[in-house]
Amino acid sequence: MSELKDRCVAVVDDEYLIAAALSVQVEGLGLTVCGTAATAEEAIALARDQRPAVVLMDVRLGGDKDGVDAALVIHATVGSKVIFVTGSREPATLARIERDHAAAVLFKPISDWQLRDAIETVLGA
Amino acid sequence: MSIQEGVIAGLAVLASALAVTVFARRGDRRADAVRFAQLAELNARLVVALEEGTEAKQDLERVVAERTSALVQRDLLLREVYHRVKNNLQVVDSLIVLQARRLSDRESRTALEALRSRLFALGLVHQQVMGSGDLETFDVAPFLEELSRRLRDHAGGGVGLSVRAAPLKVGLDFGIPLGLLVTELVNEAIGRSGPGDGAIEVELAQAEAGELVLQVREGGGRETGAPRIPAADPASLAATIIEALVAQLKGVLTVSNGQGVRSEVRMPSPALS
């Protein structure tokens, strides 16, 4: 298994503008965005291909599977740290995230400061 | 004749028939036969009335089921609408982030960051309603706690914060202007505070009958001369927003400048319709 790419971050969100904004925020921290994905399947394929150190994962995604499903597979097969980025505070969603060994959970909207803090913590761990 | 009337009439005739039967015990067989025929007819009428009752009950159950499903449908639709509103706010927020990256001057970028926190307050109100049982009202106390904490976290810099709010059920009409007002006051306080300053205090309390008092206090601690008081600076956007929201809430704003700035808004408690 090849090493994870040190400073590479994958962004998963089914709203393309939200994914674009998160990407510029990540790049603003001096990190590289190694791709964006809009569905769980795309996210898994992207992670296998690019081996990101960190995945910013939305929970509600287009398609049958959600971000929690994708995160389970990515965590198990690639080993990336997954930071959930969600707009929902619904207990059912949070309970699902909880069972998924999330590296961190951020609630939209996210400031540069919060993003830096979460990514540094996750990479330092 | 309604079902109840039928049953009551039937029971009345039955009772009189029984009474007559007792008195006529020594009567002849012909009379007995008549009584029997009457009872049989009454019995038949009661059976019909009971069947009608069962049908009416089934009709009612059908109506209740229809209403229940309409209510479930309404909840689903409302949740969907709130979700859409919140999602749209997030897309607008993303547009602002993308725009901010195109700007080189610091002042413009700071202005856009302030805009983001106002949008966030709007989104958080919708989140509260989404999470409430009736999808209309929510408790303002946890909302103010989360709003203030998130504003502080958003700004970074580790300023202390304490929030004290009395439990109070509010609707969107009150929650939105209040949330936006707290956002302005807290952001102003954060802007004037630095690490090592005392904690910012946010308090919402019920005063005498029907009056609410919102206070945002800075811990102070630094001697920086006269701090900028937003409400006294008509040129600032914060001042314009604060003035408009205080007017909308039918409140009165007092700003005092002692150990740090202290803003107080007295306003009538919202009446829930």
Side-chain angles (χ1 to χ4, degrees):
Chain A
M1 197 186 271
S2 65
E3 284 292 296
L4 295 178
K5 287 184 196 163
D6 229 12
R7 302 171 71 72
C8 161
V9 179
V11 178
V12 185
D13 202 308
D14 63 341
E15 287 285 354
Y16 283 63
L17 282 172
I18 294 178
L22 275 173
S23 298
V24 304
Q25 284 186 285
V26 168
E27 281 161 358
L29 300 178
L31 300 163
T32 311
V33 174
C34 47
T36 61
T39 66
E41 287 77 13
E42 278 175 37
I44 293 166
L46 174 67
R48 285 191 173 136
D49 189 41
Q50 294 292 322
R51 313 195 61 78
V54 178
V55 179
L56 298 183
M57 180 75 78
D58 185 21
V59 177
R60 261 176 87 139
L61 297 172
D64 299 338
K65 291 182 180 162
D66 68 5
V68 180
D69 297 317
L72 275 170
V73 176
I74 291 170
H75 187 79
T77 59
V78 184
S80 312
K81 305 272 186 172
V82 179
I83 298 175
F84 283 98
V85 176
T86 176
S88 167
R89 209 67 51 89
E90 281 167 283
T93 306
L94 293 183
R96 261 172 76 62
I97 291 176
E98 199 121 305
R99 275 184 275 131
D100 205 22
H101 318 289
V105 183
L106 294 175
F107 296 102
K108 295 179 198 171
I110 295 154
S111 70
D112 295 352
W113 184 85
Q114 288 170 309
L115 191 62
R116 173 182 294 128
D117 196 50
I119 291 179
E120 275 175 4
T121 306
V122 162
L123 289 180
Chain B
M1 194 192 287
S2 78
I3 300 151
Q4 285 102 323
E5 282 167 351
V7 172
I8 290 164
L11 287 173
V13 176
L14 182 60
S16 63
L18 283 172
V20 172
T21 308
V22 172
F23 281 112
R25 187 173 288 180
R26 281 170 290 166
D28 57 26
R29 282 187 181 177
R30 204 170 61 84
D32 281 352
V34 170
R35 298 279 170 257
F36 183 78
Q38 281 176 339
L39 282 172
E41 197 208 324
L42 281 170
N43 197 29
R45 267 202 254 165
L46 275 171
V47 168
V48 171
L50 276 173
E51 276 170 2
E52 283 172 356
T54 310
E55 267 174 43
K57 185 164 168 273
Q58 283 168 347
D59 282 348
L60 266 177
E61 279 169 352
R62 240 192 317 275
V63 170
V64 168
E66 279 168 15
R67 295 278 156 87
T68 308
S69 117
L71 273 177
V72 170
Q73 196 67 13
R74 163 205 173 262
D75 278 11
L76 273 175
L77 283 172
L78 264 179
R79 261 179 229 286
E80 187 58 28
V81 168
Y82 290 141
H83 180 76
R84 293 275 154 199
V85 170
K86 219 165 62 62
N87 204 56
N88 287 348
L89 288 172
Q90 275 160 14
V91 171
V92 174
D93 179 68
S94 297
L95 290 170
I96 295 174
V97 168
L98 293 169
Q99 176 67 80
R101 298 294 142 162
R102 302 269 164 186
L103 300 172
S104 49
D105 72 299
R106 201 179 163 76
E107 200 185 336
S108 308
R109 290 171 75 143
T110 308
L112 289 185
E113 271 304 316
L115 212 46
R116 289 187 71 197
S117 69
R118 291 165 190 138
L119 278 177
F120 169 68
L122 282 179
L124 194 61
V125 174
H126 278 88
Q127 209 157 352
Q128 307 300 304
V129 201
M130 272 170 85
S132 77
D134 61 4
L135 293 172
E136 279 173 23
T137 57
F138 60 94
D139 184 358
V140 85
F143 164 66
L144 288 187
E145 162 77 39
E146 177 163 11
L147 176 64
S148 308
R149 191 166 38 76
R150 287 290 308 273
L151 291 172
R152 191 267 317 266
D153 291 350
H154 198 90
V159 181
L161 175 76
S162 100
V163 181
R164 272 180 301 162
L168 174 71
K169 256 192 162 193
V170 301
L172 284 175
D173 286 348
F174 185 81
I176 286 176
L178 182 76
L180 287 171
L181 178 60
V182 168
T183 302
E184 294 309 317
L185 295 175
V186 169
N187 273 344
E188 285 290 314
I190 290 170
R192 284 189 297 264
S193 303
D197 284 356
I200 292 167
E201 290 173 35
V202 180
E203 191 180 325
L204 183 73
Q206 306 258 17
E208 61 260 36
E211 196 182 39
L212 278 179
V213 181
L214 168 70
Q215 289 191 63
V216 178
R217 286 184 298 268
E218 285 160 37
R222 286 179 308 170
E223 283 300 324
T224 53
R228 190 167 52 90
I229 300 172
D233 175 9
S236 87
L237 173 59
T240 308
I241 295 174
I242 290 169
E243 192 189 343
L245 294 170
V246 169
Q248 184 169 340
L249 292 164
K250 309 274 177 275
V252 177
L253 169 73
T254 324
V255 181
S256 52
N257 190 0
Q259 274 267 346
V261 177
R262 177 173 157 280
S263 308
E264 181 187 282
V265 180
R266 289 187 167 262
M267 66 200 120
S269 213
L272 284 177
S273 53

